[in-house]
Amino acid sequence: MDGDQFGNGQAQEPVQSTEENPYNHPYTYIEPWMGNNQGVGYRVQGNVQDPYPPAVGAGAPQSFYGQPGTNPYAQTSYGQPGTNPYARYYQPTKVSQNSGNGAMGMAVAGMVCGILSLVTCFFGFFLAIPGLVLSIIALRNAQGGGRGMAIAGIICSALGLVMLPVLVILMNM
Amino acid sequence: MILRMKRKKYRVDRALDDGMYIAGLAALVVLVPLGVWYARHLNEGWLPVCMAYRLFGVYCPGCGGSRALAALLKGRIGLSFLYHPLVLYTACIYTGFMGSQTISRLLKGRVRAMHFHHWFLYAALGIVLVNCIVKNVLKFCFHIMFF
């Protein structure tokens, strides 16, 4: 079956508007009357990296809604196969590999050390240092709930750390 | 996606519970001999006064902790709470967590165990700060002293 106006058929070079793009965006709107075989919608101009690669088994562009067994969103007229028109606005964030159990455990340990350093007052100096180190490491890697605990651990450890020097200074005054 | 997030959260919770349980067992090795020695030899009446209190006359965040532990080991729960509520709070949380986790592990998950929650630590921090403020306010405004 050759192509029709709804984009069913073989992949061909789409007909694009010859008008100059006044907004300088990377998309070209393709109307049904333009006679392309890849459906109606926006086409991406240029090479944009897709953060969501197409599913395995998706073939060449076939239909606007996709063929059975293929990913309809990966091969539509909204972009070239394997591209995402929104990719230029989407910057994938780098997620640390250590943001799960390790960071949460360190945040908990840091906060426990911080509270104990506050409670043990004069001897808290020895607990405040590991508490501060653990909390800072946890803060760098933690997400969500672990972040608050890491901040609380840093504050408690810092208070426990400065308590002894402050008391010694006050004692000598 | 939601199922994957739930699974990840379960893994994190399970790892935290495991870590806390191991830390609790390690603490038990230290706490049992210390508790026995405290209960036999120490009396909360003649424990030395905190150095911060002796030098500056101000209750520090940990003032009363040793007395509270000695009183708790002798079964004086109310007195222990008055000396330092953190000791009683920690004892309750520790007993509940370790007891339920041990039973759950022995019965291979047939009994639901108490899980570690973040608010345990935030509550402990709040107790420490509120206790310190309240004690100092009572001392300086109403001349009520705890030891």
Side-chain angles (χ1 to χ4, degrees):
Chain A
M1 185 177 108
D2 209 351
D4 58 25
Q5 65 171 353
F6 298 106
N8 294 318
Q10 296 174 353
Q12 292 179 4
E13 193 63 27
V15 178
Q16 297 178 354
S17 171
T18 54
E19 292 177 14
E20 192 174 345
N21 184 353
Y23 303 104
N24 198 25
H25 58 65
Y27 315 122
T28 301
Y29 188 72
I30 298 170
E31 294 282 353
W33 52 264
M34 288 178 175
N36 70 86
N37 291 326
Q38 295 188 10
V40 181
Y42 282 98
R43 290 291 307 272
V44 177
Q45 297 171 340
N47 187 16
V48 183
Q49 187 73 28
D50 186 7
Y52 304 105
V56 176
Q62 294 293 320
S63 167
F64 185 83
Y65 297 104
Q67 294 291 336
T70 63
N71 182 358
Y73 300 103
Q75 303 295 332
T76 63
S77 62
Y78 291 102
Q80 295 287 355
T83 63
N84 185 346
Y86 303 104
R88 72 186 297 229
Y89 304 112
Y90 172 76
Q91 295 292 328
T93 53
K94 186 182 177 185
V95 179
S96 171
Q97 296 293 322
N98 199 21
S99 60
N101 303 351
M104 184 65 78
M106 275 192 279
V108 171
M111 193 169 172
V112 169
C113 285
I115 292 171
L116 287 177
S117 73
L118 273 181
V119 171
T120 49
C121 197
F122 273 87
F123 306 102
F125 190 77
F126 301 104
L127 281 166
I129 292 170
L132 199 62
V133 171
L134 285 168
S135 300
I136 289 170
I137 295 170
L139 185 65
R140 289 178 67 183
N141 298 328
Q143 292 176 326
R147 194 173 171 80
M149 296 184 77
I151 293 168
I154 288 172
I155 293 168
C156 291
S157 302
L159 284 174
L161 203 62
V162 299
M163 199 177 280
L164 181 63
V166 166
L167 287 176
V168 169
I169 290 165
L170 286 172
M171 206 161 40
N172 292 324
M173 279 176 71
Chain B
M1 186 69 168
I2 294 169
L3 192 65
R4 200 183 305 162
M5 285 172 69
K6 279 185 179 174
R7 279 182 188 160
K8 189 178 177 186
K9 187 179 183 303
Y10 175 76
R11 279 202 302 272
V12 171
D13 290 348
R14 184 68 198 265
L16 266 181
D17 283 348
D18 290 345
M20 284 305 201
Y21 186 70
I22 292 165
L25 287 178
L28 203 64
V29 176
V30 179
L31 287 175
V32 166
L34 186 73
V36 171
W37 186 80
Y38 245 58
R40 281 188 183 176
H41 298 97
L42 286 186
N43 184 1
E44 69 268 15
W46 59 267
L47 274 168
V49 180
C50 174
M51 207 181 286
Y53 183 79
R54 202 188 314 163
L55 290 171
F56 309 111
V58 178
Y59 288 112
C60 77
C63 269
S66 302
R67 282 177 173 74
L69 183 60
L72 186 67
L73 288 169
K74 291 182 176 175
R76 297 172 193 161
I77 293 171
L79 195 61
S80 170
F81 181 81
L82 284 177
Y83 278 136
H84 206 306
L86 184 71
V87 173
L88 191 61
Y89 168 80
T90 308
C92 290
I93 295 286
Y94 181 84
T95 309
F97 180 79
M98 293 301 288
S100 66
Q101 283 282 334
T102 305
I103 292 167
S104 177
R105 281 158 203 266
L106 287 174
L107 297 176
K108 296 182 178 175
R110 273 175 283 177
V111 176
R112 206 170 168 189
M114 180 179 168
H115 296 289
F116 176 79
H117 296 284
H118 297 162
W119 63 261
F120 289 167
L121 291 179
Y122 289 115
L125 184 61
I127 287 169
V128 169
L129 297 177
V130 169
N131 175 60
C132 182
I133 292 165
V134 167
K135 270 185 179 174
N136 283 305
V137 167
L138 287 176
K139 188 194 171 204
F140 289 106
C141 296
F142 302 100
H143 304 288
I144 298 170
M145 282 175 270
F146 289 82
F147 52 84

